[in-house]
Amino acid sequence: MKYLQTTLAMLAALSASLALAEDFKTVSGRVYKDATISHVEADGIVIKTKTGISKIYFVELPKDVQERFLPSPAKTVAAQRE
């Protein structure tokens, strides 16, 4: 039961942070304005903008943005154990 409560709390926190629109700029200079993150995948993030849905690969994002969304090795190992 405690696991379920923890999971629900984490999902609520993620949903709140994912709903905020922000601008993303790739290392090549492409700008995605007022983008909301649909979900995070193993190799990148999927965003929604006024013009549609796009996937931005982690290698295309600056290091600070990668660190925000890339799962850390410790979290990945812990998730695999559960």
Side-chain angles (χ1 to χ4, degrees), residues 55-70:
K55 180 172 183 176
I56 307 174
Y57 292 97
F58 286 124
V59 295
E60 298 173 353
L61 293 169
K63 289 287 182 193
D64 61 324
V65 178
Q66 288 181 23
E67 291 171 358
R68 280 178 43 202
F69 299 106
L70 207 93

Side-chain angles (χ1 to χ4, degrees), residues 28-82:
S28 64
R30 174 125 192 217
V31 178
Y32 297 89
K33 294 217 175 257
D34 295 325
T36 55
I37 299 172
S38 174
H39 59 277
V40 179
E41 295 182 348
D43 58 348
I45 57 174
V46 178
I47 61 169
K48 293 181 184 177
T49 61
K50 291 179 184 177
T51 58
I53 299 172
S54 302
K55 180 172 183 176
I56 307 174
Y57 292 97
F58 286 124
V59 295
E60 298 173 353
L61 293 169
K63 289 287 182 193
D64 61 324
V65 178
Q66 288 181 23
E67 291 171 358
R68 280 178 43 202
F69 299 106
L70 207 93
S72 70
K75 290 179 186 175
T76 305
V77 169
Q80 289 174 351
R81 288 182 182 168
E82 294 178 4

Side-chain angles (χ1 to χ4, degrees), residues 1-43:
M1 186 67 172
K2 189 173 185 177
Y3 176 75
L4 178 63
Q5 291 174 341
T6 304
T7 303
L8 290 175
M10 288 175 55
L11 287 174
L14 285 173
S15 296
S17 67
L18 296 180
L20 301 175
E22 59 183 295
D23 296 344
F24 288 97
K25 185 174 182 180
T26 64
V27 291
S28 64
R30 174 125 192 217
V31 178
Y32 297 89
K33 294 217 175 257
D34 295 325
T36 55
I37 299 172
S38 174
H39 59 277
V40 179
E41 295 182 348
D43 58 348

